[in-house]
Amino acid sequence: MKIFADVTEKMLSLLPEVVDKSVLFDTELCAESGDKNAILFRSDTAYELGGSGKPSVGSIVFTDLLSVRDEVILYGPDLNEITEDTPFAHLTFVSLKQKNEEELTYEQLKNIGFTAFQIYPKGYHIRISPSASKEQVRVAKDVLNSEQPLSFMNIGCSLIRAFKENDDVESVRTVFITKKDFDYRGLSALAQKAKRITDAVHSTLQLDELDCASCKMKPVCDEVEGLRELHFKMEKERR
């Protein structure tokens, strides 16, 4: 989506030059599913990604700027190389088959965005706060001590598989960051901006009548190129 172009470019510019690990999507690499109602106690936890007050960032961005292939990328140590609570960021860039924002519906975007809450890898307990653009994860000791320790490659493939079950999704690139010297603060600000854009799009697609004077999304529409045009086109079609 063009309206995410600027924030996508800025996110990509923050990423380190060297990729530590990557893999193209492969269903054979998907993590073993766990019980969605399971509780992981601290005593059974090896560490927490984004825990102990460490930075944590989580964001889903709809974009057309990336190549059309499904890929998992890691910057920093993998799960079996981490020994303590550490900073963490998880970005997911989703490319849609429908390139025209004006043809999308509120339900389409809502269902796609909800995908991140529908995977439950065994021993990898995800806590997401969409309003704060944060993602924290408790990692169980037993999945790291197994013969084939759990990897971000497994988690990423599971997430991509879930997204690809939606017919509106063309491709997914999911990025994990665990480097201690990364600019998490800068990325967090961009994730918050992406969240505001998503909220503005949802409002535009969901509401029967739009009133700029009273809409809390007006500052976002004023800032992001393409949102205002989408707003007025949808309003014209409703009349």
Side-chain angles (χ1 to χ4, degrees), residues 26-45:
D26 184 346
T27 55
E28 294 297 320
L29 292 177
C30 290
E32 180 182 353
S33 296
D35 181 359
K36 68 177 181 180
N37 297 315
I39 298 174
L40 182 59
F41 295 104
R42 188 67 191 187
S43 58
D44 299 318
T45 300

Side-chain angles (χ1 to χ4, degrees), residues 200-217:
V201 174
H202 283 177
S203 295
T204 298
L205 297 177
Q206 183 184 28
L207 298 177
D208 293 328
E209 184 175 348
L210 298 170
D211 180 7
C212 287
S214 61
C215 182
K216 64 180 181 180
M217 296 300 170

Side-chain angles (χ1 to χ4, degrees), residues 166-232:
N166 190 306
D167 292 336
D168 297 312
V169 172
E170 182 173 35
S171 64
V172 181
R173 180 185 295 182
T174 191
V175 178
F176 298 96
I177 305 167
T178 58
K179 294 176 71 68
K180 292 184 178 180
D181 58 350
F182 181 73
D183 183 8
Y184 292 95
R185 178 177 294 183
L187 185 62
S188 178
L190 291 172
Q192 284 288 310
K193 182 176 181 179
K195 174 66 167 55
R196 292 194 297 271
I197 295 172
T198 301
D199 289 344
V201 174
H202 283 177
S203 295
T204 298
L205 297 177
Q206 183 184 28
L207 298 177
D208 293 328
E209 184 175 348
L210 298 170
D211 180 7
C212 287
S214 61
C215 182
K216 64 180 181 180
M217 296 300 170
K218 184 178 183 300
V220 186
C221 290
D222 290 342
E223 179 184 359
V224 179
E225 183 178 355
L227 263 180
R228 183 181 294 275
E229 290 77 3
L230 176 61
H231 171 125
F232 287 123

Side-chain angles (χ1 to χ4, degrees), residues 65-80:
L65 294 184
L66 302 178
S67 58
V68 183
R69 65 177 185 176
D70 303 306
E71 186 176 17
V72 185
I73 295 175
L74 170 65
Y75 298 98
D78 205 343
L79 294 172
N80 65 328

Side-chain angles (χ1 to χ4, degrees), residues 91-107:
L91 308 175
T92 302
F93 299 99
V94 180
S95 177
L96 303 177
K97 294 177 182 177
Q98 176 54 263
K99 305 302 182 184
N100 188 350
E101 291 101 331
E102 297 150 7
E103 299 298 324
L104 294 170
T105 67
Y106 169 73
E107 289 298 324

Side-chain angles (χ1 to χ4, degrees), residues 36 90 114-121 124 126 155-156 158-163:
K36 68 177 181 180
H90 181 200
F114 191 63
T115 301
F117 297 90
Q118 296 174 306
I119 68 166
Y120 309 96
Y124 188 90
I126 307 168
I155 304 301
S158 293
L159 183 65
I160 292 174
R161 180 175 62 183
F163 272 106

